[in-house]
Every structure is written in C-alpha cells, then in structure tokens.
Amino acid sequence: MNKALVYNRPEAIKRYKKQCEFIDAPQRYTIIEATTKAGKTVGCIVWLFEQALQAKAGDNFYWVAPIVAQAKIAFRRLQRFFTHKDLYDVNKADLTLTLFNGATIFFKSGDNPDSLYGDDVKAVVIDEATRMS
C-alpha cells in the first residue's frame, strides 16, 4: 500500500510575505537582492525543493554556490528544514538529495563553470551570483 505524502510549506516561510512573493513568482527568472539575514537562502531552499517535488524521476535541480563550503550550507539547511525521512535520500559524498519521486537536487560549486555542463537541469538557484565567474 502506497502512503500519500502531504507537503505543507514551513510556517516560517508562510509568515514572511516577501519570501512567498519570490517563491510563488510566475516569471521564469527571478533575481533577489536583499540585505544579509533577510531570508534569501531559506526562501530559495524552499523554492528549489518545491520545484523538485513537482518533478518526475530523473529530473535534476541545482543549487550552485561560489565554493563547495557554501553549497554545503544550503545542503545542511535543507535537511534541517525538511526532516520527514520519507521525502528524500541523502548522499553526503555527492552532496545530493534524491526525492521520493526520483528527482535529484545537486549542491554544486561554481568555481569551475565547466563542471556545471552536461545534465539537463529543470531549475537552478545561483547563490551569491556576483561572486562567481
């Protein structure tokens, strides 16, 4: 018997209108410019996760940060935010989360742009874009 999983957006996000505005934006591209500690990272984590939840097996999603250490921050935060163990499998060595639907979220570094080529990618968050080539 298959269990149905019900996703509810985290309460912390629901309470912050500005985050919901960019998470729910219908545009293909969204640029977020805000001060530190304004909730950009958490909002983008929720957005990317929600995109992956709507995907099918084999679909890929990227979180790209200037260096691996910064990508690991988002990798750990996503796991803290979404603790339901039936939602995804974690691969700490590859910095990936494979969701129950077969979609995979990769946490990558942009320090070598050539390493980002190859896969078809359905959605991307580029964290700290001004710090990358």
Side-chain angles (χ1 to χ4, degrees):
M1 179 175 158
N2 289 337
K3 290 189 265 181
L5 294 175
V6 176
Y7 169 78
N8 291 307
R9 185 175 281 173
E11 286 298 320
I13 297 295
K14 290 181 192 177
R15 288 191 301 262
Y16 193 43
K17 184 180 176 202
K18 293 290 184 189
Q19 284 176 321
C20 289
E21 286 176 6
F22 75 75
I23 292 170
D24 297 328
Q27 293 82 6
R28 183 172 181 188
Y29 300 104
T30 304
I31 298 171
I32 303 158
E33 181 181 9
T35 185
T36 59
K37 307 301 177 205
K40 300 179 299 289
T41 300
V42 171
C44 288
I45 285 169
V46 170
W47 177 82
L48 191 62
F49 189 73
E50 289 180 2
Q51 296 299 306
L53 283 176
Q54 299 172 48
K56 62 184 185 309
D59 285 349
N60 299 308
F61 299 82
Y62 280 9
W63 181 282
V64 181
I67 59 173
V68 172
Q70 285 175 304
K72 285 180 180 179
I73 292 169
F75 180 70
R76 289 189 303 266
R77 281 191 189 174
L78 192 149
Q79 292 172 72
R80 281 197 314 265
F81 232 71
F82 301 105
T83 58
H84 199 291
K85 296 192 185 314
D86 290 340
L87 288 178
Y88 55 83
D89 292 319
V90 177
N91 184 321
K92 291 181 181 179
D94 291 337
L95 292 181
T96 62
L97 300 172
T98 302
L99 278 60
F100 68 94
N101 61 4
T104 303
I105 303 174
F106 294 81
F107 294 80
K108 294 182 160 268
S109 162
D111 60 353
N112 177 5
D114 288 337
S115 69
L116 301 174
Y117 290 103
D119 280 329
D120 291 335
V121 180
K122 299 292 182 175
V124 178
V125 169
I126 301 176
D127 188 20
E128 300 290 350
T130 61
R131 306 224 183 265
M132 287 186 250
S133 302

